[in-house]
Amino acid sequence: MVGHMRVGILALQGAFREHAQTLGRLGVETRLVRRPAELEEIEALVIPGGESTTIGRLLFEFSLVDKLLAKAKEGLPVFGTCAGMVLMAREIEGIEQRTLGLMDITVRRNAFGRQVESFEADLQIPVLGDKPFRGVFIRAPFVTRVGAGVEVLAEFEGKPVLVRQGKLLACAFHPELTNDLRLHRYFLEEVAKA
Ligand code: GLN
């Protein structure tokens, strides 16, 4: 149990149900977010994986961007996974694609190349302890530049795949597709309460 907290999950497209299940197992209340007003009712937000171009387009169409940026500025903790990481990045390498620009990072989309579009790998994530974390990578991005205020919490083959900037956390893989609750717990207990 991580204590009482209401966590929103952006539910425009992608793996939002899986995040809701994972967070439910941690005993927190979840709320699917599709409208600006719903951002007022939550104490943290998860942006799931999926297709960043689609989620990004719907964010603008559903008029969620201004409110989301305002809440983040007020200190709303945000955890982005895969496409969520892409949307949180300030820049995407080589592409003009609108993002939320919350984190001072540059990402490369579909960065692990065609032959290995999807794979799993054991990751060492020191903030989660010694036991490796199974990283499920699905057409995943990686980070190619980190700004001064950004901590790299895990790398895979020398590429940052888990980064933190204050109350913002982003990973290139899909923790909601494993039974390992440690990264969601870390977000709620350490990042959100920082
Ligand atoms: N390749 C996708 C994108 O850039 C992300 C894939 C995912 O979220 N699993 O939008």
Side-chain angles (χ1 to χ4, degrees):
M1 282 285 284
V2 284
H4 185 77
M5 202 172 183
R6 193 185 289 144
V7 183
I9 305 159
L10 189 68
L12 302 175
Q13 190 264 336
F16 54 87
R17 291 177 198 86
E18 290 81 355
H19 277 290
Q21 275 165 10
T22 303
L23 291 164
R25 288 173 62 202
L26 285 168
V28 294
E29 188 184 336
T30 56
R31 171 144 317 181
L32 299 183
V33 172
R34 296 191 178 94
R35 298 165 202 274
E38 288 158 350
L39 289 167
E40 293 293 355
E41 299 162 9
I42 57 171
E43 292 148 280
L45 178 71
V46 172
I47 304 180
E51 195 50 50
S52 63
T53 48
T54 306
I55 300 173
R57 182 169 50 74
L58 293 171
L59 271 171
F60 283 92
E61 264 173 35
F62 286 39
S63 306
L64 282 157
V65 175
D66 290 348
K67 175 69 82 185
L68 207 164
L69 294 179
K71 296 301 289 183
K73 207 168 177 187
E74 287 169 20
L76 181 75
V78 184
F79 179 20
T81 61
C82 202
M85 171 189 253
V86 173
L87 287 162
M88 285 173 79
R90 186 165 294 173
E91 293 169 317
I92 303 176
E93 214 179 66
I95 316 178
E96 281 296 319
Q97 181 182 332
R98 280 197 293 186
T99 66
L100 295 166
L102 294 172
M103 290 182 93
D104 189 11
I105 56 174
T106 303
V107 301
R108 185 181 301 167
R109 288 184 60 199
N110 305 321
F112 290 99
R114 283 236 174 127
Q115 288 97 323
V116 284
E117 285 208 326
S118 301
F119 61 95
E120 295 188 13
D122 280 334
L123 304 173
Q124 290 301 327
I125 306 182
V127 294
L128 301 183
D130 290 339
K131 191 179 146 216
F133 192 96
R134 193 72 176 158
V136 178
F137 292 82
I138 303 171
R139 299 202 306 122
F142 60 62
V143 177
T144 57
R145 180 194 64 86
V146 291
V150 179
E151 284 172 83
V152 176
L153 301 181
E155 295 184 342
F156 176 67
E157 294 182 343
K159 312 294 187 192
V161 292
L162 174 64
V163 290
R164 174 181 179 178
Q165 181 177 357
K167 290 191 174 194
L168 307 172
L169 183 70
C171 66
F173 48 94
H174 285 264
E176 79 288 3
L177 299 183
T178 69
N179 289 320
D180 196 330
L181 304 175
R182 286 179 295 161
L183 193 53
H184 286 79
R185 187 183 287 124
Y186 173 77
F187 171 62
L188 298 174
E189 287 184 346
E190 305 295 330
V191 178
K193 294 190 177 147

